[in-house]
Amino acid sequence: MDSSQLLGITTFTYLFATLLYVFLLVFKTPRLGSIATFFTVIAFSIQTAGIGLRWVESYQMGIGHAPLTNMYESVVFFSWTIIAFYLAIEWNSQARSIGAFSVPLAFLAMAYASFSSNINKTISPLVPALQSNWLIAHVVTCFVGYAAFAVAAALGTMYLLKNRAERLPARKASSFENLPSLSVLDELIHKTIIFGFIWLSTGIITGAIWADSAWGTYWSWDPKETWSLITWFVYAITLHARYTRGWSGKRIAFLAIFGFISVLFTYYGVNFLLSGLHSYGSGS
């Protein structure tokens, strides 16, 4: 069995886990939550093995690099980091209903990686600029931040649905009654954004150091660099508004969703819509 087969199995297992989490939300059967978590952990383990095997395969081909260097590999790793971050939140909060909004993001990423004809799935030699020890540090830090922002957007969506449901008759709002309380969701959004902001900041710093070693300048206003900075400011403004203006609730939920849209354009849109030094890269 090769890495692509393992990652294909991961895609369908995440789909199954997603359906279980949605059924948990709709039917409110606690046992479904335990089963959903079990399959999510199984899928995450298979995905981890698939990423590791792809790394081994690159060495067997005489190329030898971390599987983080093209759009396919980065989407797979993005999905992996989302699940890793979600499982950590579930472990701490025991709120399995969050999985109905977070795990689908990982599934969609894996579905795109598995079935899209727009990305190259082959293991290829690194271009000179990517042959750096800073590769793993930069990509990992960025994607941990991206994953946190993805989960923050999921939590923001949950907040808005819960907030709306509380204004509806009990019969119509029943599907969302087992979501965490608004205060818990608000706090989770806040903490998740802080976590992502720290990692994104670290990713930008490691990227600047890498750029200096590769191109002789820390910052060149490449489209990816520019949009990374824009995204950084979106979340910096969000945190500033919370600390200085006391923003919370719906405002922060909307900003969490808007911020993730900026993340998606920084990660995906720039690679395909704008040309630059990062156009060939991992979407980091």
Side-chain angles (χ1 to χ4, degrees), residues 22 27 33 37 41 53 62 83 87 99 110 140 156 165 168 191 193 202 210 239 256 260 274 280:
V22 172
F27 298 111
T37 300
V41 172
L53 183 56
I83 295 299
L87 288 175
M110 287 302 299
V140 168
L168 296 174
K191 290 180 177 179
I193 288 177
T202 305
W210 184 9
L239 293 174
F260 185 55
L274 302 174
Y280 59 81

Side-chain angles (χ1 to χ4, degrees), residues 51-67 123 126 133 136:
I51 293 171
L53 183 56
R54 187 174 175 90
W55 200 337
V56 171
E57 288 169 349
S58 75
Y59 276 92
Q60 292 174 340
M61 295 171 62
I63 297 173
H65 59 71
I123 300 174
L126 295 179
N133 292 329
I136 295 177

Side-chain angles (χ1 to χ4, degrees), residues 77-130:
F77 186 68
F78 183 36
S79 170
W80 186 89
T81 53
I82 289 173
I83 295 299
F85 191 76
Y86 162 69
L87 288 175
I89 287 182
E90 184 186 292
W91 177 268
N92 287 313
S93 68
Q94 295 299 305
R96 289 194 168 101
S97 57
I98 298 174
F101 297 84
S102 299
V103 176
L105 297 176
F107 161 68
L108 290 173
M110 287 302 299
Y112 174 72
S114 299
F115 302 116
S116 174
S117 59
N118 295 327
I119 56 178
N120 181 15
K121 301 177 179 64
T122 60
I123 300 174
S124 305
L126 295 179
V127 298
L130 293 180

